[in-house]
Amino acid sequence: MKFQYVLVLLFCALQGIAQKQTAAPPSQIPASTKAEERWTGYQQRLKLRENSLVKNVPFRNVGPTIMSGRVVDLEVDPQDATHFYVAFASGGLWETKNNGASFSPLFQNEIAISIGDIAVNWSQSLIYIGSGENNSSRSSYSGYGMFKSENAGKNWTPIGLAESHHIGRIVLHPTNPNIITVAVLGHLYSENAERGIYKTSDGGKTWKKTLSVNNRTGAIDLTADPVNPDVLYAATWEKERKAWNFDGSGVGSGIYKSTDGAENWVKISGNGFPETKGVGRIGLAVAPSNPQIMYAFLDNQDTREKKQSDEQAEKVTKGLLRTISKENFIALDNKDINAFLDKNDFPQKYNAVDIKKDITAEKIKPSDLVEYLEDANTLLFDTEIKGAEMYRSNDGGKTWNKTHSDYLDNVVYTYGYYFGQVRVDAVDPDKIYTYGVPILTSEDGGKTWKSIGGNNVHADHHALWVNPKRSGHLILGNDGGVNISYDNGKTWTKCNTIPVGQFYAVTYDMATPYNVYGGLQDNGVWMGPSTYQYSNEWNQEGIYPYKTIMGGDGMQVQVDFRDNETVYTGYQFGNYYRLNSKNPDNAEYITPQHELGERPLRWNWESPILISRHNQDIIYFGSNKFHRSMDKGKTFQTLSSDLTTGGKKGNVSYGTLTSIAESPKRFGLLYVGTDDGLIHISKDAGNSWEKISTPPLPQNFWVSTTEASNHKENRVYVSLNGYRWDNFESHIYASEDYGKTWKKIGLDLPIEPVNVIREDPKNENLLYVGTDHGAYISLDRGTSFQALDGGLPSVPVHDLTIHPRENDLILGTHGRSIFIGNIAHIQALSPTILSKNFHFFDTKKVTFNKNWGKQGWNKWNLGGFNEPKQSICFYAQQTESVTFSVTTETGLEVYTKKIDAVKGLNYLEYNISMVESAAEPLKKTLKESSTFKKADNGIYYLPVGTYTFNLSNNKGNATSTFTIESPKKTEERKNKE
C-alpha cells in the first residue's frame, strides 16, 4: 500500500501550510483547566479506583506490539549500552536490560503518563521525567510537570512545574545532582505564562524561571557544553494551536546562550540564523569533541521564491483561475487546461471541452476550479515553504552559516513541528544526524546528506542515541518504536516487544474466536485474534498473528458481520475504502466526492463511518454533511446540508462530523455529533435533521460520542471533550426524550476529558466511559461511577466497545494497544446480588486430566509441571477475612483457606487440589480408587465428582456447586478376525 503512504504525505503537506488565524471571541473559548483542579481530579481517580467494586476484574493486553508507537526520548547507560530507557509519547517509560529483547514498564500509573523528555543520573539511580509530549501533534497529551524517581523507576514523586503541560528537554548538572535545568514548552491549545527555561538548585523543591519570551513562546530544546556545564544553549518556539489552525512559527522563536549556569541568557540567533516570522521549531546539538561547534536544525516556515522557469512551465495556474474572465478562459488552449486538471488529480470525468461548455452556460466559474481543490475551511497558500534547514556555528553561537546550498526537501514537509532534532558524533564534529520523515546523516558538516532508514524502520523519527564509544552504533526511536544499528544505519533490528500502540478506534467481528480491529496513529489499520497472547514464537513460525489491512494514520473500522471479511476503513481526513480482509490490497475507494462548482467536503481527521446493523448493505458516513450508501459504499447520497457551524478559516479541517450512531431499536433513528459542539437527530434515516445540542450541554466542545440506547428507543447518551481548549472537565449527558432535554450524569467522574461513552447491550443500567486517563463503569445509569483497574495503566482510552456474544469489553488505548476483559460478572451485578453478604458466580465444569501434576515431556522442559487452574468469582459486601473451603458430596472437607476478600468482585485462583490429610478418607468413598494417588509434584488433585464451594464468616455463608467430569473414554480397539 505504498500508494496510500504517498497520498498521505501529500495530503498532510497541504494540510500543514500555516496561516494566521483571527482569534475567537473570548466568550466562545472554554477556560483551560488549572493544575490544582487536575490534581483534585487525580485524587478522585484514586478514590474511584480504591472504592471500586470491579477493580479486580482482570484485563489482558492483546497487543499488537510489532507496529509499536511514538518514541520521544532514549537514555542509555554509559557503562552498558544494552541497558536503556525508552520514553513514549503516550505509553509511559520502559526499561530494557537486554538490548531491547524485552522491556519492563516503570511509569504507568501517575496523574499523566505522557512524556516529553527524560534524564538519568546513572550513578545515583535518579530518573527525571518531563511529562507532556513535546511534539505538538493533534494527539499530543499534556503532562503534569516534572517527576523524580530515586530508586530507578520503582516510585515517582511530582516535583513541580505542574502548569507546564509539555516539556521539551531536561539537562542535569554532571556533578551536582540538585541542579536541573528544564525547557518548558507550555500549553498546547491555550496561552500560559509557565513557558521558557526553569532551573532548580535543590533537586526540584523550588524552581525559578530564568528565560521568558511571551505567553505563546516556550522552550523546546536545551543542551549544555560537555566541558563547561555553566554554558548552556536553549531554543525557544513561538506557536499557536487551535482545533482549526496551527501557526507553528513566529518572531519569538530563537536561540539563547547562558554562560552562568542558566541564570541569565543572551539571544544568539541572528548573525546568519533567520529571525523572521517563519522561524519555527529549532533543535540544538553541541559537538562533544569541540564545544565551539554547534548545530541548529530549523523548521523554516518562510515561503520560497518561485522560480521563473516554474511559472513559465505552467500555462494554467490557480492564481490565473482566480481572476481570469469567462471570455479569456474560453480562449485558453484545451491542452493547458487538461494539464492543470491532470496535475491536480481531477476526476477523469472532467475535461477542458465540457468545462468550457459549463462556463459558457454560466453553470460554473473559472474560480470554481480552484475552489474545487481547496479545503472548505481555508484558502490554502499555493506557495511552498523553505522547510528543513541546518545551520552551523564554529564559534559557540556568535555566527551562523547554513550548511547546505539546496533545499532539504522531503525531510519534514510542512509539518516540521513534529520533528526538529540534530545529533553530532562524539569524535567527528562533521558527522551529524537529523531526522524527520527519513533519518539522514551527513559526513561533511551538513553539506550533503544521505538516508540511512531501512525496510523495517518506520518513517517518522523523534529520538536518536549515538554511541560515543563505538562508531556506527545507533539506537533510534520513531513512530514505530525502537531500532538498533551497529553499522551506521546499513542494517537495523527492530525491538518491538512493547504493547504501546496508539489506537484511535477499535471494533470486532463475529468470527469464532472473534477478531479485533483498530486504527492507529501513523501505523495504519490492523486486525488480529482476540485470543492473542504475546509470544516471540512468530519469529520462528514466520506469521505474526496480527496483520495490517490499511496504511496511513489508521482510523475507524466497520465489519460486515454476515461474512466477517468485508471491512470499511481508511486513513485520515475521510479517505476510506471497502476491502476484503483476506485480500486487503484490492481495496476500493468509497469516499464521496463533491461536484465541480461545489465547495469541497470537510472531513475530520478521524471521520465517522457506520454500518447499519438493521441492513448491512447500508453505510453511513460523515464529512460536514451526512452521507448514506444503500449498496455497500459503491454509491453515496448526500442527505443533509452542513450539520456544523460552518467551519473556521485555518489549516486544519474543522467543522466536521465526529460521531454517528443508529438506534439498535429502530432503523433510521440516527444521531450525529460534530467537532464544534453540535448534535443532530434524524428519525427518517438521514433525510431530515433537527439540532438537539441545547443547554445544559456545553457549547463549542468536541462531541466525542453519540450513543443510541440498546434498551430504550428514546434514550441517548453523548460525551463532549474539551481537550482542544486545554479544558479537561468530564462531560457526559443522557436524554430520555430523543435529545429534547438533557441531564448531566457522571458527576463524580474525575476531571479528565471523556473520549467515549457506551451502554452495555445486556444491562441497561451499566455504562462504560473512556477518558484520557482510564476507564470507568456505572451500575446505575450514570448516577455514580467506579474505576476499572485489573492491570490497566493510566493511559488514554480513546475508544471502547462490547462484544455482545462473548461479553468482552474491548479497550482501544492511545498508548498501550488493546486490552480485553470479560465483563459478564459486572453485567450480572443486580441490586439483589449487591445486597447479599456473599454471592458465588457459576463456575465452569472441568474435565479430569490424568496428567495433572505430571512433569512435562522431559525433565528439562521449561514448562514445569502440568498444573490446573480454576478461576472462581464471588461478590463480597465488605472487605474482610473469609474462609474458602471445598467439600465432597458426603460432606468431607478436602480443602480450606483463609482469604482476604475485598468489597466487590473477587477472583480466586484454585488449583483443584486437596489437603493430604483428606486423601485417605476420600479414597474410601471412591468406587475406583486405584488411580487416586499423589501426583509427581507432590499434590493430591480432586478426582471426578461433584463438590461444593463454601464461603463463610461470622456474618453468614454462601455455597456453589463445582463439577469435575470424567474424560471421554477411548473406544476399544477391535481385533481383526
Side-chain angles (χ1 to χ4, degrees), residues 386 446 470 861:
K386 293 180 178 179
R470 175 173 175 171
N861 178 28

Side-chain angles (χ1 to χ4, degrees), residues 768-779:
Y768 308 88
V769 164
T771 75
D772 278 358
H773 300 288
Y776 303 86
I777 69 107
S778 172
L779 295 171

Side-chain angles (χ1 to χ4, degrees), residues 58 119 135 276 369 390 397 407 477 499 528 535 585 744 764 767 782 822 884:
N135 300 308
T276 65
L369 290 168
M390 188 66 69
Y407 291 117
S535 169
D585 287 336
K744 187 170 185 179
E764 70 172 316
L767 301 177
N822 187 271
F884 171 75

Side-chain angles (χ1 to χ4, degrees), residues 789-941:
D789 192 351
L792 294 175
S794 298
V795 66
V797 175
H798 208 285
D799 193 17
L800 62 85
T801 189
I802 303 97
H803 198 283
R805 184 188 67 215
E806 304 298 336
N807 304 314
D808 281 345
L809 177 61
I810 306 165
L811 304 178
T813 76
H814 201 84
R816 295 294 291 272
S817 287
I818 299 173
F819 287 85
I820 295 179
N822 187 271
I823 41 88
H825 297 132
I826 300 178
Q827 291 173 319
L829 284 176
S830 65
T832 300
I833 291 176
L834 293 174
S835 66
K836 293 181 178 181
N837 186 36
F838 296 120
H839 176 80
F840 267 115
F841 291 92
D842 290 341
T843 304
K844 292 182 179 179
K845 297 178 181 180
V846 298
T847 301
F848 180 80
N849 190 327
K850 64 181 180 180
N851 293 319
W852 286 346
K854 286 190 176 181
Q855 185 77 43
W857 65 274
N858 67 50
K859 68 178 181 178
W860 309 113
N861 178 28
L862 296 178
F865 292 97
N866 180 356
E867 297 182 348
K869 289 182 180 180
Q870 181 67 27
S871 180
I872 301 169
C873 179
F874 66 90
Y875 167 80
Q877 199 176 73
Q878 299 294 330
T879 297
E880 55 190 340
S881 178
V882 299
T883 299
F884 171 75
S885 62
V886 183
T887 57
T888 67
E889 289 182 285
T890 62
L892 175 66
E893 186 175 273
V894 293
Y895 182 89
T896 185
K897 181 181 181 180
K898 285 280 187 181
I899 59 176
D900 293 323
V902 300
K903 182 178 180 180
L905 295 176
N906 293 261
Y907 292 85
L908 173 65
E909 292 292 335
Y910 173 47
N911 65 354
I912 317 183
S913 67
M914 58 181 292
V915 293
E916 189 167 348
S917 59
E920 280 302 316
L922 177 61
K923 189 174 183 178
K924 293 177 181 178
T925 66
L926 299 177
K927 293 181 179 179
E928 294 185 12
S929 60
S930 60
T931 59
F932 180 68
K933 59 183 179 179
K934 185 184 293 185
D936 294 349
N937 60 357
I939 295 176
Y940 279 95
Y941 289 101

Side-chain angles (χ1 to χ4, degrees), residues 99-249:
N99 208 32
S102 62
F103 292 83
S104 300
L106 298 178
F107 184 78
Q108 59 178 354
N109 292 308
E110 308 308 314
I111 181 173
I113 66 171
S114 173
I115 299 177
D117 192 50
I118 58 174
V120 181
N121 182 323
W122 294 94
S123 63
Q124 298 191 24
S125 298
L126 294 173
I127 307 176
Y128 295 90
I129 286 180
S131 63
E133 184 185 358
N134 57 25
N135 300 308
S136 298
S137 176
R138 54 179 47 83
S139 63
S140 294
Y141 288 93
S142 64
Y144 196 78
M146 290 288 296
F147 290 81
K148 177 182 180 178
S149 175
E150 298 180 294
N151 52 12
K154 294 179 182 178
N155 304 103
W156 297 93
T157 303
I159 57 171
L161 304 181
E163 201 65 68
S164 60
H165 281 206
H166 300 271
I167 287 177
R169 196 73 70 200
I170 306 168
V171 170
L172 306 182
H173 194 282
T175 59
N176 187 338
N178 288 319
I179 297 178
I180 309 165
T181 311
V182 178
V184 172
L185 190 55
H187 292 191
L188 179 55
Y189 284 98
S190 58
E191 294 187 6
N192 74 307
E194 195 164 295
R195 302 177 188 263
I197 300 296
Y198 286 78
K199 179 182 177 180
T200 179
S201 298
D202 54 16
K205 294 178 182 177
T206 60
W207 295 87
K208 66 177 178 180
K209 186 193 293 187
T210 63
L211 175 60
S212 177
V213 179
N214 59 49
N215 285 1
R216 286 182 54 187
T217 302
I220 181 62
D221 209 352
L222 180 69
T223 188
D225 186 314
V227 176
N228 183 356
D230 286 335
V231 176
L232 296 98
Y233 301 91
T236 61
W237 182 19
E238 181 171 348
K239 60 179 177 60
E240 182 182 46
R241 181 149 209 157
K242 299 297 181 188
W244 57 88
N245 189 73
F246 185 33
D247 187 358
S249 64

